[in-house]
Amino acid sequence: MKPKLVFKYLSLFFILLCLIQTIAPAAASSYITPTGEEGLTQDTSMIQDEMHKFDRNMDVWFMLMLVAFLMLFIKKFEWGVCLATLLTLAGSFISHSAIRQFVLGQAWNQDFIIMGIFCAITVVIAIGVFLGTIKTWQYLLVGILFAPAWLAIEWFMFTYLEGVVDPGGSMLVHMVAAYWGWGALIAIQEKRSFEEPFDTTTHSVSFVWLASMLLFVLWPSFVTALLPGDQVTWGMITTYMAGLGSVVSAYLTCVAFEKKVNPLVYTYALLAGMVSIGSPLISVGPWTALGIGLVAGIISATCFIKLHPWLCEKAGVFDVMGVHNLHGIPGIWGAVAGAIFAAGFVNIISLVGVIVISLVTGGITGIILKATRGEMEQKDLFSDDSIFLGWHPD
Amino acid sequence: MKPKLVFKYLSLFFILLCLIQTIAPAAASSYITPTGEEGLTQDTSMIQDEMHKFDRNMDVWFMLMLVAFLMLFIKKFEWGVCLATLLTLAGSFISHSAIRQFVLGQAWNQDFIIMGIFCAITVVIAIGVFLGTIKTWQYLLVGILFAPAWLAIEWFMFTYLEGVVDPGGSMLVHMVAAYWGWGALIAIQEKRSFEEPFDTTTHSVSFVWLASMLLFVLWPSFVTALLPGDQVTWGMITTYMAGLGSVVSAYLTCVAFEKKVNPLVYTYALLAGMVSIGSPLISVGPWTALGIGLVAGIISATCFIKLHPWLCEKAGVFDVMGVHNLHGIPGIWGAVAGAIFAAGFVNIISLVGVIVISLVTGGITGIILKATRGEMEQKDLFSDDSIFLGWHPD
Amino acid sequence: MKPKLVFKYLSLFFILLCLIQTIAPAAASSYITPTGEEGLTQDTSMIQDEMHKFDRNMDVWFMLMLVAFLMLFIKKFEWGVCLATLLTLAGSFISHSAIRQFVLGQAWNQDFIIMGIFCAITVVIAIGVFLGTIKTWQYLLVGILFAPAWLAIEWFMFTYLEGVVDPGGSMLVHMVAAYWGWGALIAIQEKRSFEEPFDTTTHSVSFVWLASMLLFVLWPSFVTALLPGDQVTWGMITTYMAGLGSVVSAYLTCVAFEKKVNPLVYTYALLAGMVSIGSPLISVGPWTALGIGLVAGIISATCFIKLHPWLCEKAGVFDVMGVHNLHGIPGIWGAVAGAIFAAGFVNIISLVGVIVISLVTGGITGIILKATRGEMEQKDLFSDDSIFLGWHPD
């Protein structure tokens, strides 16, 4: 598809949205948070809850942007990752909002925006699986197509099933990201990724360190974004303890396997504890959380070093950012830990369902992506040069 | 002027300020936020309002620093941008605070600091117009001279005029920054900027991506910093929707004009929606906001690509960072949108007045800058080497 | 010690911690913040206080990570600084939490975590003194050993002594960091640091600018983290004013001494005002704070340029990051200012006690580090190459 056509159709799409707004105008005053309404706890009003969620909500947007920098280590494909992230965000957030307002009939408030950015961060993680192998405008399409799939999975987990425990998104965010991405990956069938050298530079990897370390910091906002005020401190305690567990164990695992530390394993695997604590978040104490994170770090680093090459060869496709090793397997470990410490067997049913629905909906998206991608030369894969003016290797 | 003389006079200035404090000491206890006072909404006390403003206030300081990194793409002029930003911040914030306390007689609280950092971020954006063409110590002077001009414009907009709608600063921040900067630019008359090649490196531009993406995230704090708690969620909704509009439309516009994306157009123009929503912020719903942002992104990218070279040639001076294309024109579009959706004609009067006062006061500052700058060789323009020890090209 | 042995013993340590948790399980519900409890001010409940502390707490974690990037300028030793920071954080936070819960019997809440991250940030600053001269796994050990020393100093300052004024940590954080680090430095006796050229690159120093400027922004959260809501605005006012003082005076001092600005002096010294305001934080008004910061910036920059080479030569050991010049001397100036404006002589007693206890406990740690370090070749000092796979100079 030519840029001008894309431009035309997308403009039409957005003009349509604006017209809907004009025909059925949301009275502006409906967005004012009403005074005198009770909040989520006895001690807070709705206004106070909204104001606190504002901060945590914004932290999640911050994290979404950091995910871009977490994936920015390929020397010849850095700016493209940022652009892909932004377009995926726009597509998914707008699509999610449109469905939630016009199909599900929900009103805009902090929870509405938080669900939207959760949806967006999930698909931004997911594109890591096949990043650099589709055309730039397709990231917008990926976002638009992802939102309904994600809303369906949310419905499956929390409306169809009962009693699933996943406040911090081990399943709804991390597992969905990994398996939806893999569904698309398998459908796209881009074999040439195996031939890429993925050269790095010192500072492309320094940006990854920065992103990983700040994601660590902001994680408590992510897992507690929707919780009432009296559970927020608790969520922060277990999240940081789980994260510190994987900070230590991922390091020791790297050294045990390879003597030296692979920074592109460690900067990811150090976050595995936080991925895993998402499900058992408020069902365990700090030291159990530390233990869960300790195990997660070992699992994740081992997957990067041992499982990843084997699995990609076996599947015949290449998980570019190794999303499965940070979000897939540690997500499963989190869901299992949630089953052990809180929810019981229903969390296992949810886990299986999430894998199946994600793979299927991801696969369908992958087929659409492949069909609309057109020709893409080897030199245009993972290539800022093909997207940007003024790019040049240093 | 020699550094030692600068040192001497500025020391005297600050010692004077400290003496004022000793002669008229603000009783320390006057800074404690009083308990039992009502807040801005029925559900919050003054203490709670202050604590929430603390967070949004700090986000604006964060944004000010990010503006430095947004301007850091010139290979041989990176650290100097950071230093210029810090000195401009110091000069303007201190000058603004002194005027507000000692001339206007206002007490220090969150609103006081927020107005100070708004003033500072405005002038930090404004220096982007002529960055690299004045001497380092002069940035301190720029800040000191800017504060009274900004306070005069604030008086014009909200005291002299009545009914102007600009909660998020489309006029008071963005338009003032662009036209005050252009006033100074025209007065300084530095023609040699046209000859600079403005070489970039991969990572100098990666810092710009980081800055732009984080500015996007933090923007809702900026536009809602002074609003009561019940309007904060609303401000966040429209800001993010407007921003997502320009994320998409700036990309499509870049591709439509130049086939590939110029990162130094896109990383700026993607923020245009947020500049524009400042005025109609809480007078429109989410989908109208999306539309406003969509238009803003098209306008801004078009200005960067088409208007910028023409205007600079016509004016005979070079807007170094293209401030006019992100803050000037999209600021005007925001003021007009504010007129359409809320304020009516008074917003247009304000718009015209802001341009005139900004150009005039900026021009006066430019004359002072030119008079005190002394000789500046071509090699000292845009040059870290002339400012810093230990600078070396990689 | 071999990695595998380290792995074994540390695994045992953590398994032990998890067992303790199983034997004496903290009832999960004990972490829910109780409703209906009074907060620190008449206008806030305990839940509201906890939610506000959540934000400031997280900002301190953010700052800890930024400290890593503040120390990342050595071309051949960048990623190692990040890894060292993470391991030091994990060791100290876990050790601190274990002592506080199991020895001191305190319950987990925001104050508990905030004290933990204060402890961690102190030791992360402290390792800057001897960074790059010990083995990677030893940073974990440093963290574990530091926590009891820090808790002892806290006891000395606030339980043994009475009336010490140090809300923002001029003594408990900055002076402890500097003198504990120097204690370890003197014990380690690594003379080869003098021979290192410490080459930088443009962007390694740009990361330092970013870190310094964001530390400046977040500092008010650090100094007010434990304060009640009615003093938070006040703490922000004096912190920013003191910081702006050193932003200006550090610049002028650099220029006065060396004509050009040394970025590795300025990016540190610009923060000196904020170090110094920690003690007199809520005992002075904004203009006095500006004066304190003004003096701090002059002192710090002068120490970097004049005291540092002399002191290191005299002591026969090299303070790698110049921690003493930002945290030591400005910390003393802060403690003295706290004595002048608030606490009187007891702050001086505290100051002396902090130096002595820090040097002694740091020295003991240094002896342990030296004994367990084993051989370390010259080429392995300050070397990412010896720690990481895939490192290569650009």
Side-chain angles (χ1 to χ4, degrees):
Chain A
M1 209 191 304
K2 282 183 186 170
K4 282 200 181 167
L5 270 177
V6 179
F7 185 83
K8 202 168 149 188
Y9 288 122
L10 284 171
S11 299
L12 281 173
F13 172 71
F14 288 112
I15 290 164
L16 196 70
L17 285 179
C18 296
L19 280 178
I20 289 167
Q21 165 76 7
T22 316
I23 296 162
S29 64
S30 77
Y31 299 104
I32 291 186
T33 307
T35 53
E37 300 273 330
E38 280 182 23
L40 291 167
T41 74
Q42 186 184 322
D43 293 356
T44 55
S45 67
M46 188 194 281
I47 285 183
Q48 291 167 336
D49 282 343
E50 290 281 290
M51 288 171 84
H52 284 295
K53 284 181 178 174
F54 177 94
D55 296 323
R56 305 206 291 278
N57 189 348
M58 188 176 285
D59 287 342
V60 181
W61 287 74
F62 201 134
M63 293 174 76
L64 182 140
M65 299 301 187
L66 291 174
V67 172
F69 288 83
L70 198 67
M71 308 192 292
L72 188 137
F73 58 85
I74 304 170
K75 185 180 182 169
K76 72 192 200 44
F77 185 53
E78 300 189 18
W79 309 342
V81 178
C82 295
L83 181 54
T85 299
L86 287 166
L87 294 178
T88 307
L89 161 63
S92 59
F93 189 88
I94 294 169
S95 169
H96 174 274
S97 299
I99 297 170
R100 200 169 275 275
Q101 178 175 344
F102 300 117
V103 180
L104 306 181
Q106 295 180 12
W108 288 74
N109 59 15
Q110 285 293 331
D111 283 6
F112 185 111
I113 320 175
I114 290 169
M115 289 308 285
I117 194 63
F118 277 2
C119 173
I121 204 169
T122 305
V123 63
V124 166
I125 297 168
I127 61 170
V129 176
F130 54 84
L131 197 68
T133 66
I134 62 174
K135 291 203 169 140
T136 305
W137 70 267
Q138 292 190 297
Y139 293 105
L140 202 51
L141 183 64
V142 166
I144 293 168
L145 294 174
F146 178 79
W150 191 78
L151 283 162
I153 295 168
E154 193 213 347
W155 172 86
F156 166 74
M157 282 178 65
F158 298 111
T159 306
Y160 180 79
L161 296 179
E162 254 175 66
V164 172
V165 172
D166 192 37
S170 292
M171 284 182 270
L172 186 58
V173 173
H174 300 288
M175 283 183 57
V176 170
Y179 293 103
W180 191 89
W182 264 79
L185 179 75
I186 291 167
I188 295 171
Q189 283 289 328
E190 179 55 77
K191 305 279 183 192
R192 291 172 294 178
S193 305
F194 283 105
E195 294 155 37
E196 278 288 329
F198 294 121
D199 290 331
T200 63
T201 65
T202 303
H203 285 139
S204 70
V205 178
S206 290
F207 277 109
V208 177
W209 281 99
L210 181 69
S212 173
M213 291 164 80
L214 297 189
L215 281 166
F216 184 100
V217 166
L218 297 172
W219 213 286
S221 282
F222 174 75
V223 294
T224 67
L226 294 167
L227 296 183
D230 55 352
Q231 296 178 14
V232 164
T233 295
W234 185 356
M236 178 184 253
I237 292 168
T238 53
T239 304
Y240 279 145
M241 287 299 271
L244 294 174
S246 50
V247 159
V248 173
S249 68
Y251 164 67
L252 295 172
T253 307
C254 283
V255 171
F257 276 124
E258 307 191 297
K259 292 229 169 75
K260 291 185 182 184
V261 175
N262 183 337
L264 294 180
V265 170
Y266 183 68
T267 50
Y268 297 129
L270 75 88
L271 297 171
M274 289 173 154
V275 168
S276 298
I277 203 65
S279 184
L281 185 72
I282 50 172
S283 313
V284 295
W287 303 101
T288 308
L290 180 68
I292 289 170
L294 185 70
V295 172
I298 295 170
I299 291 175
S300 181
T302 306
C303 287
F304 269 105
I305 297 168
K306 298 291 176 190
L307 178 68
H308 185 64
W310 177 85
L311 184 68
C312 291
E313 200 199 0
K314 200 83 178 176
V317 284
F318 191 76
D319 179 352
V320 177
M321 295 293 158
V323 174
H324 188 247
N325 309 301
L326 173 57
H327 300 277
I329 302 291
I332 291 177
W333 163 230
V336 170
I340 295 170
F341 292 102
F345 193 64
V346 71
N347 250 33
I348 306 298
I349 298 172
S350 171
L351 181 165
V352 175
V354 162
I355 294 178
V356 173
I357 307 176
S358 298
L359 280 172
V360 171
T361 52
I364 294 166
T365 308
I367 291 164
I368 296 169
L369 290 175
K370 196 173 178 155
T372 56
R373 189 181 74 164
E375 278 303 300
M376 208 166 164
E377 289 179 50
Q378 171 89 42
K379 72 169 175 54
D380 294 339
L381 298 174
F382 315 104
S383 167
D384 280 348
D385 196 25
S386 69
I387 305 168
F388 293 101
L389 294 171
W391 183 86
H392 54 84
D394 288 328
Chain B
M1 210 191 301
K2 282 185 186 169
K4 282 200 181 165
L5 271 176
V6 179
F7 185 83
K8 203 167 146 188
Y9 289 123
L10 284 170
S11 299
L12 280 172
F13 172 71
F14 287 112
I15 289 164
L16 197 71
L17 285 180
C18 296
L19 281 178
I20 289 168
Q21 164 75 8
T22 316
I23 295 160
S29 64
S30 76
Y31 299 105
I32 291 184
T33 308
T35 52
E37 300 274 329
E38 280 181 24
L40 291 167
T41 73
Q42 184 184 324
D43 293 356
T44 55
S45 67
M46 188 194 283
I47 285 183
Q48 290 166 338
D49 282 342
E50 289 283 288
M51 288 171 83
H52 285 295
K53 284 182 177 172
F54 178 94
D55 296 325
R56 304 207 291 280
N57 189 345
M58 188 176 286
D59 287 343
V60 181
W61 288 74
F62 201 133
M63 292 173 77
L64 181 139
M65 299 301 185
L66 290 173
V67 172
F69 288 83
L70 199 67
M71 307 192 293
L72 187 140
F73 58 85
I74 304 170
K75 186 180 181 168
K76 71 191 198 47
F77 185 53
E78 300 190 17
W79 309 341
V81 178
C82 295
L83 181 54
T85 300
L86 287 167
L87 293 178
T88 308
L89 160 65
S92 59
F93 189 87
I94 294 169
S95 169
H96 174 274
S97 299
I99 297 169
R100 200 169 274 274
Q101 179 176 344
F102 300 117
V103 180
L104 307 180
Q106 295 181 10
W108 288 74
N109 58 14
Q110 285 293 332
D111 283 5
F112 186 110
I113 320 175
I114 289 169
M115 289 308 285
I117 195 65
F118 277 3
C119 173
I121 205 168
T122 305
V123 63
V124 166
I125 296 167
I127 61 170
V129 176
F130 52 85
L131 198 67
T133 66
I134 62 173
K135 291 207 170 136
T136 306
W137 70 268
Q138 291 189 299
Y139 292 106
L140 203 50
L141 184 63
V142 166
I144 293 168
L145 295 173
F146 178 78
W150 190 77
L151 283 162
I153 295 167
E154 192 213 347
W155 171 86
F156 167 75
M157 282 177 66
F158 299 111
T159 306
Y160 181 78
L161 296 179
E162 253 175 68
V164 172
V165 171
D166 192 35
S170 292
M171 284 181 270
L172 185 58
V173 174
H174 300 288
M175 283 184 57
V176 171
Y179 293 103
W180 189 90
W182 264 79
L185 179 75
I186 291 167
I188 294 172
Q189 284 289 329
E190 179 55 79
K191 305 276 185 195
R192 292 172 294 178
S193 305
F194 283 105
E195 294 154 38
E196 277 287 328
F198 294 121
D199 290 329
T200 63
T201 65
T202 304
H203 286 138
S204 70
V205 177
S206 289
F207 277 109
V208 177
W209 281 99
L210 181 68
S212 172
M213 290 164 81
L214 297 189
L215 280 167
F216 184 100
V217 167
L218 297 172
W219 212 287
S221 282
F222 174 75
V223 293
T224 67
L226 294 167
L227 296 183
D230 56 351
Q231 296 178 13
V232 164
T233 294
W234 184 358
M236 178 183 252
I237 291 168
T238 51
T239 304
Y240 279 144
M241 287 300 271
L244 293 173
S246 50
V247 158
V248 173
S249 67
Y251 164 68
L252 295 172
T253 308
C254 282
V255 171
F257 276 123
E258 307 191 297
K259 291 232 168 73
K260 290 186 183 185
V261 176
N262 184 338
L264 294 179
V265 170
Y266 183 68
T267 52
Y268 296 129
L270 74 88
L271 297 171
M274 289 173 155
V275 168
S276 299
I277 202 65
S279 184
L281 185 72
I282 49 173
S283 312
V284 295
W287 302 100
T288 309
L290 181 68
I292 290 171
L294 185 70
V295 173
I298 295 169
I299 291 174
S300 181
T302 306
C303 286
F304 269 105
I305 296 168
K306 298 289 176 193
L307 178 68
H308 184 64
W310 177 85
L311 184 67
C312 290
E313 202 199 0
K314 200 87 179 173
V317 284
F318 191 77
D319 178 352
V320 177
M321 296 292 158
V323 173
H324 188 246
N325 309 301
L326 173 57
H327 301 277
I329 302 292
I332 291 176
W333 163 229
V336 170
I340 296 169
F341 292 102
F345 192 63
V346 72
N347 250 33
I348 306 298
I349 298 172
S350 171
L351 181 164
V352 175
V354 162
I355 294 178
V356 173
I357 308 177
S358 298
L359 281 171
V360 171
T361 54
I364 294 167
T365 307
I367 291 165
I368 297 170
L369 290 175
K370 193 171 181 159
T372 56
R373 191 181 73 165
E375 279 303 303
M376 210 166 162
E377 290 179 49
Q378 171 91 40
K379 72 169 174 56
D380 294 339
L381 298 174
F382 315 103
S383 166
D384 281 347
D385 196 25
S386 70
I387 305 167
F388 293 101
L389 293 172
W391 184 85
H392 52 85
D394 289 327
Chain C
M1 210 190 306
K2 283 182 184 170
K4 282 199 180 166
L5 271 177
V6 179
F7 185 82
K8 206 169 145 188
Y9 289 123
L10 284 171
S11 299
L12 281 172
F13 172 72
F14 288 113
I15 288 164
L16 196 71
L17 285 180
C18 296
L19 281 178
I20 289 168
Q21 164 76 5
T22 317
I23 295 162
S29 64
S30 76
Y31 298 105
I32 292 184
T33 307
T35 52
E37 301 273 330
E38 280 181 22
L40 291 167
T41 74
Q42 186 184 323
D43 293 356
T44 55
S45 67
M46 188 193 284
I47 285 183
Q48 291 167 336
D49 282 341
E50 289 282 289
M51 288 171 85
H52 284 294
K53 284 182 177 173
F54 178 94
D55 296 325
R56 304 206 292 278
N57 189 347
M58 189 176 285
D59 287 342
V60 182
W61 287 74
F62 201 133
M63 292 173 76
L64 182 139
M65 299 303 187
L66 291 173
V67 172
F69 287 84
L70 199 67
M71 307 192 291
L72 188 138
F73 58 85
I74 304 170
K75 186 181 182 169
K76 70 192 201 45
F77 185 53
E78 300 189 18
W79 309 340
V81 178
C82 296
L83 181 54
T85 299
L86 287 166
L87 294 178
T88 306
L89 160 64
S92 59
F93 189 87
I94 294 170
S95 169
H96 174 274
S97 299
I99 296 170
R100 201 169 274 274
Q101 179 176 345
F102 299 118
V103 180
L104 306 180
Q106 295 180 11
W108 288 74
N109 58 15
Q110 286 293 331
D111 283 5
F112 186 110
I113 321 175
I114 290 170
M115 289 308 284
I117 194 64
F118 277 4
C119 172
I121 205 168
T122 305
V123 62
V124 166
I125 297 168
I127 61 170
V129 177
F130 52 86
L131 197 68
T133 67
I134 62 173
K135 292 205 169 137
T136 306
W137 68 268
Q138 292 189 299
Y139 293 105
L140 203 50
L141 184 64
V142 166
I144 293 168
L145 294 174
F146 178 78
W150 190 78
L151 283 162
I153 295 167
E154 191 214 349
W155 172 86
F156 166 75
M157 283 177 64
F158 298 110
T159 307
Y160 180 78
L161 296 179
E162 253 175 67
V164 172
V165 171
D166 192 36
S170 292
M171 284 182 268
L172 185 58
V173 173
H174 300 288
M175 282 183 58
V176 171
Y179 293 102
W180 190 89
W182 264 79
L185 179 74
I186 292 167
I188 294 171
Q189 284 290 326
E190 179 55 77
K191 304 280 183 192
R192 291 172 294 178
S193 305
F194 282 105
E195 294 154 37
E196 279 286 331
F198 294 120
D199 290 331
T200 62
T201 65
T202 303
H203 285 138
S204 69
V205 178
S206 290
F207 277 108
V208 177
W209 281 99
L210 180 68
S212 174
M213 291 164 79
L214 297 189
L215 281 166
F216 184 99
V217 167
L218 298 172
W219 213 286
S221 282
F222 174 74
V223 294
T224 68
L226 294 167
L227 295 183
D230 56 351
Q231 297 178 12
V232 164
T233 295
W234 184 357
M236 179 183 251
I237 292 168
T238 53
T239 304
Y240 279 145
M241 287 300 272
L244 293 174
S246 49
V247 158
V248 173
S249 68
Y251 164 67
L252 296 173
T253 308
C254 282
V255 171
F257 276 123
E258 307 191 296
K259 291 230 168 73
K260 291 186 182 184
V261 175
N262 183 338
L264 295 179
V265 170
Y266 183 68
T267 52
Y268 297 129
L270 75 88
L271 297 171
M274 289 174 155
V275 169
S276 299
I277 202 66
S279 184
L281 184 73
I282 50 175
S283 313
V284 295
W287 302 101
T288 310
L290 181 68
I292 290 171
L294 184 70
V295 172
I298 295 170
I299 292 175
S300 181
T302 307
C303 286
F304 269 104
I305 296 168
K306 297 292 177 192
L307 178 69
H308 185 64
W310 177 85
L311 184 67
C312 291
E313 201 199 0
K314 200 84 178 173
V317 284
F318 191 77
D319 179 352
V320 177
M321 296 292 159
V323 174
H324 188 247
N325 309 302
L326 173 56
H327 300 277
I329 302 292
I332 291 176
W333 163 230
V336 170
I340 296 168
F341 292 102
F345 193 62
V346 70
N347 250 31
I348 306 297
I349 298 173
S350 171
L351 180 165
V352 175
V354 162
I355 294 178
V356 172
I357 309 177
S358 297
L359 280 171
V360 170
T361 53
I364 295 167
T365 307
I367 291 165
I368 296 170
L369 290 175
K370 194 172 181 158
T372 56
R373 190 181 73 166
E375 278 303 301
M376 211 165 161
E377 289 179 50
Q378 172 90 42
K379 72 171 176 50
D380 293 339
L381 298 174
F382 316 103
S383 166
D384 280 349
D385 195 26
S386 69
I387 304 169
F388 293 102
L389 294 171
W391 183 86
H392 52 85
D394 288 329

